[in-house]
């Protein structure tokens, strides 16, 4: 999956340091990031290529010995040759995978910094903490940490069939599993039951855990589960959320090459009959 970048290692601890030689730069503009694209390869700029254009920067994380920084560039900054802004969501199948993982994790932090420039309690400007990954309000003392949204994804099975869907009105057009955000006061297992029923009208039982995945482009932590059909297999589809929902046998399924998503990992586990019972 996306986070599986061994032998490389992500160190997500906050180690505030000065930006300088050897640093990789994550510069965003709306939903786009400054990159160089060459066939199926994606490359982030180095500090040396942008040092005269960086107005502000903050340390993000390191991969192996390489530090990554979020940087704000001057409005009239000249971009390095071969670099342009490109939608970060379109990079999921590019290589190297550790760079895609860095992009998505950097996006998660960029959104948090962008959306918390002012205190939600008293409205005063926030400031960076010197030791922790935290924004604080010097006026009221409010402490703001990065937001992580729990969401479930579930493979609903009925013997040798699995329930697959397609989203309505979204960029992602491939088959998907049912997914949704956990609401206030819910357990993850209750979210599984609610989301499956809301989107397809079926009930589930025997809910069992599979895996988790950080998904930075939506600030998510995905919690993957399998569950068995409980009762009727008749589908009543939520047409605002879905454009398709149906049961598919193992011998009807094929998957594109994808070692990134939890969705693909779970569908493949079902096809290979190695999902938990």
């Amino acid at each position: 999956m996306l986070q599986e970048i061994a032998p490389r290692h992500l160190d997500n601890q906050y180690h505030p340091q000065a930006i300088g030689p050897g640093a990789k730069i994550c510069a965003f503009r709306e939903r786009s990031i400054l990159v160089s694209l060459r066939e199926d390869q994606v490359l982030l700029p180095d500090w040396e290529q942008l040092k005269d254009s960086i107005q502000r920067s903050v340390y993000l994380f390191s991969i192996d010995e390489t530090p990554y920084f979020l940087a704000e560039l001057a409005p009239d900054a000249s971009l390095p040759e071969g670099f342009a802004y490109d939608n970060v969501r379109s990079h999921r199948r590019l290589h190297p995978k550790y760079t895609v993982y860095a992009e998505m994790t950097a996006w998660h932090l960029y959104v948090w910094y962008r959306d918390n420039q002012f205190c939600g309690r008293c409205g005063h400007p926030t400031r960076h903490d010197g030791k922790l990954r935290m924004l604080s309000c010097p006026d009221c003392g409010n402490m703001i940490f990065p937001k992580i949204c729990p969401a479930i994804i579930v493979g609903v099975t009925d013997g040798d069939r699995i329930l697959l869907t397609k989203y309505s009105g979204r960029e992602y057009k491939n088959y998907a599993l049912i997914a949704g955000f956990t609401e206030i006061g819910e357990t993850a297992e209750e979210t599984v039951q609610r989301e499956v029923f809301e989107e397809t009208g079926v009930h589930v039982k025997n809910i069992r855990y599979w895996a988790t995945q950080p998904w930075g482009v939506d600030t998510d932590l995905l919690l993957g589960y399998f569950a068995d059909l409980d009762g009727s297999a008749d589908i009543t589809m939520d047409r605002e959320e879905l454009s398709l929902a149906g049961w598919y046998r193992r011998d009807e399924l094929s998957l594109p090459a994808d070692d990134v998503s939890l969705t693909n990992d779970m569908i493949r586990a079902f096809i290979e009959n190695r999902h938990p019972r």
Side-chain angles (χ1 to χ4, degrees), residues 7-251:
R8 296 183 181 271
H9 172 71
L10 171 74
D11 180 1
N12 64 356
Q13 297 301 305
Y14 184 57
H15 303 296
Q17 56 189 269
I19 193 170
K24 289 290 185 180
I25 304 302
C26 297
F28 292 96
R29 180 181 293 169
E30 296 180 349
R31 287 189 171 272
S32 295
I33 186 171
L34 184 62
V35 291
S36 175
L37 299 176
R38 302 169 187 173
E39 296 181 351
D40 67 343
Q41 301 290 307
V42 60
L43 178 68
L44 290 169
D46 298 319
W47 173 80
E48 290 85 350
Q49 295 172 292
L50 291 170
K51 60 183 179 180
D52 295 329
S53 302
I54 296 173
Q55 293 185 319
R56 283 176 289 275
S57 66
V58 61
Y59 174 81
L60 293 175
F61 47 77
S62 295
I63 295 181
D64 295 340
E65 301 303 317
T66 301
Y68 288 70
F69 284 79
L70 179 65
E72 180 181 337
L73 306 185
D76 59 349
S78 297
L79 302 184
E81 184 178 355
F83 283 80
Y85 285 93
D86 194 69
N87 191 325
V88 68
R89 289 177 175 270
S90 68
H91 296 174
R92 55 185 288 166
R93 291 192 174 92
L94 298 183
H95 299 283
K97 190 165 69 169
Y98 73 86
T99 299
V100 179
Y101 185 34
E103 287 184 290
M104 292 192 178
T105 306
W107 168 262
H108 190 162
L109 288 167
Y110 160 70
V111 169
W112 174 66
Y113 280 121
R114 181 198 67 190
D115 294 351
N116 290 279
Q117 298 177 60
F118 297 91
C119 177
R121 183 183 298 169
C122 72
H124 283 80
T126 56
R127 65 185 181 190
H128 293 275
D129 185 79
K131 296 181 179 180
L132 301 175
R133 175 89 63 199
M134 180 183 76
L135 296 171
S136 62
C137 177
D139 189 74
C140 72
N142 187 21
M143 297 184 294
I144 309 165
F145 292 90
K147 179 181 72 173
I148 301 172
C149 301
I152 62 89
I153 182 168
V154 54
V156 180
T157 61
D158 178 27
D160 67 346
R161 303 189 303 171
I162 191 169
L163 181 56
L164 298 183
T165 66
K166 287 190 175 182
Y167 294 120
S168 176
R170 299 194 197 178
E171 293 180 13
Y172 186 79
K173 301 300 182 184
N174 294 335
Y175 284 106
L177 300 175
I178 293 170
F181 288 101
T182 299
E183 296 186 354
I184 296 296
E186 277 187 332
T187 66
E189 291 77 11
E190 288 170 337
T191 308
V192 167
Q193 294 173 314
R194 176 180 56 77
E195 286 288 346
V196 172
F197 182 74
E198 286 180 354
E199 295 191 7
T200 65
V202 303
H203 295 279
V204 294
K205 61 183 179 181
N206 190 24
I207 299 168
R208 60 268 189 207
Y209 169 80
W210 174 252
T212 65
Q213 179 174 46
W215 198 247
V217 292
D218 292 312
T219 68
D220 295 354
L221 177 64
L222 291 173
L223 311 173
Y225 292 89
F226 282 93
D228 295 334
L229 174 69
D230 184 15
S232 172
D234 294 340
I235 294 172
T236 304
M237 190 173 67
D238 180 351
R239 296 189 178 276
E240 291 187 3
E241 284 286 327
L242 305 177
S243 63
L244 179 148
W247 295 99
Y248 295 86
R249 297 192 311 273
R250 287 189 178 89
D251 58 10

Side-chain angles (χ1 to χ4, degrees), residues 254-273:
S254 61
L255 289 175
D258 182 351
D259 62 350
V260 172
S261 70
L262 181 56
T263 297
N264 191 281
D265 182 71
M266 293 176 67
I267 295 175
R268 187 171 301 282
F270 174 76
I271 293 173
E272 296 173 357
N273 202 22

